[in-house]
Short mmCIF file of all heavy atoms in Angstrom, two decimals:
data_model
loop_
_atom_site.label_atom_id
_atom_site.label_comp_id
_atom_site.label_asym_id
_atom_site.label_seq_id
_atom_site.Cartn_x
_atom_site.Cartn_y
_atom_site.Cartn_z
N LYS T 1499 0.82 -1.21 0.00
CA LYS T 1499 0.00 0.00 0.00
C LYS T 1499 0.86 1.26 0.00
O LYS T 1499 0.38 2.34 -0.39
CB LYS T 1499 -0.92 0.00 1.23
CG LYS T 1499 -1.97 -1.10 1.20
CD LYS T 1499 -2.84 -1.05 2.45
CE LYS T 1499 -3.90 -2.15 2.44
NZ LYS T 1499 -4.72 -2.14 3.67
N LYS T 1500 2.11 1.13 0.45
CA LYS T 1500 3.01 2.28 0.49
C LYS T 1500 3.90 2.39 -0.76
O LYS T 1500 4.75 3.26 -0.83
CB LYS T 1500 3.91 2.18 1.74
CG LYS T 1500 3.14 2.19 3.07
CD LYS T 1500 2.45 3.53 3.29
CE LYS T 1500 1.75 3.59 4.63
NZ LYS T 1500 2.68 3.65 5.78
N GLY T 1501 3.65 1.49 -1.71
CA GLY T 1501 4.46 1.52 -2.93
C GLY T 1501 5.19 0.21 -3.15
O GLY T 1501 5.20 -0.67 -2.28
N ASP T 1502 5.79 0.07 -4.31
CA ASP T 1502 6.49 -1.16 -4.65
C ASP T 1502 7.78 -1.28 -3.85
O ASP T 1502 8.55 -0.32 -3.74
CB ASP T 1502 6.82 -1.19 -6.14
CG ASP T 1502 5.57 -1.36 -7.00
OD1 ASP T 1502 4.51 -1.68 -6.43
OD2 ASP T 1502 5.67 -1.18 -8.23
N ILE T 1503 8.00 -2.50 -3.31
CA ILE T 1503 9.19 -2.76 -2.49
C ILE T 1503 10.06 -3.78 -3.22
O ILE T 1503 9.59 -4.87 -3.56
CB ILE T 1503 8.80 -3.31 -1.11
CG1 ILE T 1503 7.81 -2.38 -0.41
CG2 ILE T 1503 10.05 -3.50 -0.25
CD1 ILE T 1503 7.25 -2.96 0.87
N PRO T 1504 11.34 -3.45 -3.46
CA PRO T 1504 12.23 -4.39 -4.16
C PRO T 1504 12.42 -5.68 -3.35
O PRO T 1504 12.55 -5.65 -2.12
CB PRO T 1504 13.55 -3.63 -4.29
CG PRO T 1504 13.21 -2.20 -4.07
CD PRO T 1504 12.03 -2.18 -3.16
N ILE T 1505 12.42 -6.80 -4.05
CA ILE T 1505 12.74 -8.10 -3.46
C ILE T 1505 14.02 -8.61 -4.10
O ILE T 1505 14.16 -8.60 -5.33
CB ILE T 1505 11.60 -9.12 -3.67
CG1 ILE T 1505 10.31 -8.65 -3.00
CG2 ILE T 1505 12.00 -10.49 -3.11
CD1 ILE T 1505 9.13 -9.61 -3.19
N TYR T 1506 14.94 -9.10 -3.27
CA TYR T 1506 16.22 -9.60 -3.75
C TYR T 1506 16.20 -11.13 -3.74
O TYR T 1506 15.35 -11.76 -3.10
CB TYR T 1506 17.36 -9.05 -2.90
CG TYR T 1506 17.49 -7.54 -3.03
CD1 TYR T 1506 16.74 -6.69 -2.23
CD2 TYR T 1506 18.33 -6.98 -3.98
CE1 TYR T 1506 16.82 -5.31 -2.35
CE2 TYR T 1506 18.44 -5.60 -4.12
CZ TYR T 1506 17.67 -4.78 -3.31
OH TYR T 1506 17.75 -3.41 -3.46
N THR T 1507 17.16 -11.72 -4.44
CA THR T 1507 17.22 -13.18 -4.56
C THR T 1507 17.33 -13.82 -3.18
O THR T 1507 18.18 -13.44 -2.37
CB THR T 1507 18.43 -13.60 -5.41
OG1 THR T 1507 18.45 -12.84 -6.61
CG2 THR T 1507 18.37 -15.07 -5.75
N ALA T 1508 16.48 -14.80 -2.91
CA ALA T 1508 16.47 -15.47 -1.60
C ALA T 1508 17.72 -16.32 -1.41
O ALA T 1508 18.24 -16.92 -2.36
CB ALA T 1508 15.22 -16.35 -1.49
N LEU T 1509 18.19 -16.38 -0.17
CA LEU T 1509 19.38 -17.15 0.19
C LEU T 1509 19.00 -18.42 0.93
O LEU T 1509 17.99 -18.45 1.66
CB LEU T 1509 20.31 -16.33 1.09
CG LEU T 1509 20.77 -14.97 0.58
CD1 LEU T 1509 21.68 -14.32 1.62
CD2 LEU T 1509 21.49 -15.09 -0.77
N GLY T 1510 19.84 -19.44 0.81
CA GLY T 1510 19.68 -20.61 1.66
C GLY T 1510 19.96 -20.26 3.11
O GLY T 1510 20.88 -19.50 3.41
N ASP T 1511 19.16 -20.82 4.01
CA ASP T 1511 19.28 -20.41 5.41
C ASP T 1511 20.63 -20.78 6.02
O ASP T 1511 21.18 -20.03 6.84
CB ASP T 1511 18.13 -20.97 6.25
CG ASP T 1511 17.97 -22.49 6.15
OD1 ASP T 1511 18.77 -23.15 5.45
OD2 ASP T 1511 17.03 -23.02 6.78
N HIS T 1512 21.20 -21.91 5.62
CA HIS T 1512 22.49 -22.31 6.19
C HIS T 1512 23.57 -21.31 5.80
O HIS T 1512 24.33 -20.82 6.66
CB HIS T 1512 22.87 -23.71 5.69
CG HIS T 1512 24.21 -24.17 6.16
ND1 HIS T 1512 25.17 -24.66 5.31
CD2 HIS T 1512 24.77 -24.18 7.40
CE1 HIS T 1512 26.26 -24.96 5.99
NE2 HIS T 1512 26.05 -24.69 7.26
N GLN T 1513 23.63 -20.95 4.53
CA GLN T 1513 24.68 -20.02 4.08
C GLN T 1513 24.46 -18.61 4.63
O GLN T 1513 25.41 -17.90 4.93
CB GLN T 1513 24.75 -20.01 2.56
CG GLN T 1513 25.34 -21.28 1.96
CD GLN T 1513 24.30 -22.34 1.66
OE1 GLN T 1513 23.23 -22.39 2.28
NE2 GLN T 1513 24.57 -23.19 0.67
N ALA T 1514 23.20 -18.20 4.76
CA ALA T 1514 22.92 -16.90 5.36
C ALA T 1514 23.44 -16.85 6.80
O ALA T 1514 24.02 -15.86 7.24
CB ALA T 1514 21.42 -16.60 5.32
N ALA T 1515 23.23 -17.94 7.53
CA ALA T 1515 23.68 -17.99 8.92
C ALA T 1515 25.20 -17.98 9.01
O ALA T 1515 25.79 -17.30 9.87
CB ALA T 1515 23.12 -19.22 9.62
N VAL T 1516 25.87 -18.73 8.13
CA VAL T 1516 27.34 -18.74 8.14
C VAL T 1516 27.88 -17.35 7.79
O VAL T 1516 28.85 -16.87 8.40
CB VAL T 1516 27.89 -19.80 7.16
CG1 VAL T 1516 29.42 -19.71 7.09
CG2 VAL T 1516 27.47 -21.19 7.61
N LEU T 1517 27.24 -16.67 6.84
CA LEU T 1517 27.64 -15.31 6.52
C LEU T 1517 27.53 -14.41 7.75
O LEU T 1517 28.36 -13.53 7.97
CB LEU T 1517 26.78 -14.77 5.38
CG LEU T 1517 27.17 -13.42 4.78
CD1 LEU T 1517 28.53 -13.51 4.10
CD2 LEU T 1517 26.11 -12.94 3.80
N GLY T 1518 26.51 -14.64 8.57
CA GLY T 1518 26.30 -13.84 9.77
C GLY T 1518 27.29 -14.12 10.88
O GLY T 1518 27.40 -13.33 11.83
N THR T 1519 28.04 -15.22 10.80
CA THR T 1519 29.06 -15.50 11.81
C THR T 1519 30.36 -14.75 11.52
O THR T 1519 31.26 -14.73 12.35
CB THR T 1519 29.40 -17.00 11.88
OG1 THR T 1519 30.07 -17.40 10.68
CG2 THR T 1519 28.15 -17.84 12.09
N TYR T 1520 30.50 -14.18 10.32
CA TYR T 1520 31.73 -13.55 9.86
C TYR T 1520 32.86 -14.55 9.67
O TYR T 1520 34.03 -14.20 9.69
CB TYR T 1520 32.17 -12.42 10.80
CG TYR T 1520 31.44 -11.13 10.54
CD1 TYR T 1520 30.20 -10.88 11.13
CD2 TYR T 1520 31.96 -10.15 9.70
CE1 TYR T 1520 29.51 -9.71 10.88
CE2 TYR T 1520 31.28 -8.98 9.46
CZ TYR T 1520 30.06 -8.75 10.05
OH TYR T 1520 29.38 -7.59 9.81
N ALA T 1521 32.51 -15.83 9.46
CA ALA T 1521 33.53 -16.80 9.05
C ALA T 1521 34.04 -16.40 7.67
O ALA T 1521 33.26 -16.05 6.79
CB ALA T 1521 32.94 -18.20 9.02
N SER T 1522 35.36 -16.45 7.50
CA SER T 1522 35.96 -16.02 6.24
C SER T 1522 36.87 -17.11 5.70
O SER T 1522 36.93 -18.22 6.25
CB SER T 1522 36.72 -14.71 6.44
OG SER T 1522 37.05 -14.12 5.20
N ASP T 1523 37.59 -16.80 4.64
CA ASP T 1523 38.41 -17.79 3.96
C ASP T 1523 39.35 -18.49 4.94
O ASP T 1523 40.08 -17.85 5.70
CB ASP T 1523 39.25 -17.12 2.87
CG ASP T 1523 38.40 -16.46 1.79
OD1 ASP T 1523 37.19 -16.73 1.77
OD2 ASP T 1523 38.96 -15.69 0.99
N GLY T 1524 39.30 -19.82 4.92
CA GLY T 1524 40.20 -20.60 5.75
C GLY T 1524 39.72 -20.81 7.17
O GLY T 1524 40.41 -21.46 7.96
N ASP T 1525 38.55 -20.29 7.52
CA ASP T 1525 38.01 -20.48 8.87
C ASP T 1525 37.22 -21.78 8.96
O ASP T 1525 36.51 -22.16 8.02
CB ASP T 1525 37.06 -19.34 9.25
CG ASP T 1525 37.77 -18.11 9.76
OD1 ASP T 1525 38.91 -18.24 10.24
OD2 ASP T 1525 37.18 -17.01 9.69
N MET T 1526 37.34 -22.44 10.10
CA MET T 1526 36.39 -23.47 10.49
C MET T 1526 35.23 -22.78 11.20
O MET T 1526 35.43 -21.77 11.88
CB MET T 1526 37.01 -24.48 11.45
CG MET T 1526 37.98 -25.44 10.82
SD MET T 1526 37.14 -26.71 9.86
CE MET T 1526 38.56 -27.60 9.22
N PHE T 1527 34.04 -23.31 11.04
CA PHE T 1527 32.93 -22.82 11.85
C PHE T 1527 32.19 -24.01 12.43
O PHE T 1527 32.08 -25.07 11.82
CB PHE T 1527 32.00 -21.92 11.03
CG PHE T 1527 31.31 -22.60 9.88
CD1 PHE T 1527 30.11 -23.27 10.05
CD2 PHE T 1527 31.86 -22.55 8.61
CE1 PHE T 1527 29.48 -23.90 8.99
CE2 PHE T 1527 31.24 -23.18 7.54
CZ PHE T 1527 30.04 -23.86 7.73
N ILE T 1528 31.71 -23.82 13.63
CA ILE T 1528 30.99 -24.87 14.37
C ILE T 1528 29.66 -24.29 14.82
O ILE T 1528 29.62 -23.22 15.44
CB ILE T 1528 31.81 -25.35 15.58
CG1 ILE T 1528 33.05 -26.11 15.12
CG2 ILE T 1528 30.96 -26.21 16.50
CD1 ILE T 1528 33.98 -26.49 16.25
N ASN T 1529 28.59 -24.99 14.51
CA ASN T 1529 27.26 -24.59 14.96
C ASN T 1529 26.71 -25.72 15.82
O ASN T 1529 26.55 -26.85 15.36
CB ASN T 1529 26.34 -24.34 13.76
CG ASN T 1529 24.92 -24.03 14.20
OD1 ASN T 1529 24.71 -23.41 15.24
ND2 ASN T 1529 23.95 -24.47 13.43
N ILE T 1530 26.45 -25.42 17.09
CA ILE T 1530 25.89 -26.43 17.99
C ILE T 1530 24.60 -25.86 18.57
O ILE T 1530 24.61 -25.02 19.48
CB ILE T 1530 26.86 -26.82 19.12
CG1 ILE T 1530 28.24 -27.16 18.55
CG2 ILE T 1530 26.30 -28.01 19.89
CD1 ILE T 1530 29.27 -27.53 19.61
N GLY T 1531 23.50 -26.29 18.03
CA GLY T 1531 22.19 -25.94 18.54
C GLY T 1531 21.42 -27.23 18.72
O GLY T 1531 21.93 -28.20 19.28
N THR T 1532 20.18 -27.27 18.24
CA THR T 1532 19.43 -28.52 18.25
C THR T 1532 20.15 -29.57 17.42
O THR T 1532 20.21 -30.74 17.76
CB THR T 1532 18.01 -28.29 17.70
OG1 THR T 1532 17.38 -27.27 18.46
CG2 THR T 1532 17.20 -29.55 17.77
N GLY T 1533 20.70 -29.12 16.27
CA GLY T 1533 21.56 -29.96 15.45
C GLY T 1533 22.99 -29.48 15.54
O GLY T 1533 23.28 -28.45 16.15
N GLY T 1534 23.90 -30.23 14.93
CA GLY T 1534 25.31 -29.85 14.99
C GLY T 1534 25.97 -29.93 13.63
O GLY T 1534 25.72 -30.87 12.86
N GLN T 1535 26.81 -28.96 13.33
CA GLN T 1535 27.51 -28.90 12.04
C GLN T 1535 28.93 -28.38 12.27
O GLN T 1535 29.17 -27.56 13.15
CB GLN T 1535 26.81 -27.94 11.07
CG GLN T 1535 25.35 -28.21 10.84
CD GLN T 1535 24.64 -27.02 10.20
OE1 GLN T 1535 25.11 -25.89 10.27
NE2 GLN T 1535 23.49 -27.27 9.59
N VAL T 1536 29.84 -28.87 11.45
CA VAL T 1536 31.16 -28.28 11.37
C VAL T 1536 31.43 -28.02 9.89
O VAL T 1536 31.05 -28.82 9.03
CB VAL T 1536 32.26 -29.19 11.98
CG1 VAL T 1536 32.35 -30.53 11.26
CG2 VAL T 1536 33.61 -28.49 11.97
N GLY T 1537 32.04 -26.87 9.60
CA GLY T 1537 32.27 -26.51 8.21
C GLY T 1537 33.58 -25.76 8.03
O GLY T 1537 34.22 -25.33 9.01
N TYR T 1538 33.95 -25.61 6.77
CA TYR T 1538 35.19 -24.92 6.41
C TYR T 1538 34.89 -24.03 5.22
O TYR T 1538 34.26 -24.47 4.24
CB TYR T 1538 36.26 -25.96 6.05
CG TYR T 1538 37.57 -25.40 5.54
CD1 TYR T 1538 38.52 -24.89 6.42
CD2 TYR T 1538 37.87 -25.39 4.18
CE1 TYR T 1538 39.73 -24.38 5.96
CE2 TYR T 1538 39.07 -24.90 3.71
CZ TYR T 1538 40.01 -24.39 4.60
OH TYR T 1538 41.19 -23.89 4.14
N VAL T 1539 35.31 -22.76 5.31
CA VAL T 1539 35.09 -21.81 4.22
C VAL T 1539 36.27 -21.89 3.26
O VAL T 1539 37.41 -21.60 3.63
CB VAL T 1539 34.91 -20.38 4.75
CG1 VAL T 1539 34.71 -19.41 3.59
CG2 VAL T 1539 33.72 -20.31 5.71
#
């Protein structure tokens, strides 16, 4: 109602979350919540 709002390409939730950790090239990242993951950028 306030005008057209741009929509950008949707991201996968896993990669969006890793981006939010500020993990960068050569970093390991560990996510331990309900599930568990270890990854390498």
Side-chain angles (χ1 to χ4, degrees):
K1499 293 179 180 178
K1500 299 294 183 71
D1502 290 348
I1503 306 172
I1505 298 179
Y1506 295 86
T1507 311
L1509 304 180
D1511 55 1
H1512 177 231
Q1513 289 90 334
V1516 175
L1517 188 65
T1519 69
Y1520 279 85
S1522 193
D1523 299 347
D1525 277 337
M1526 286 285 177
F1527 63 87
I1528 291 174
N1529 176 34
I1530 310 179
T1532 303
Q1535 305 164 339
V1536 61
Y1538 175 79
V1539 179

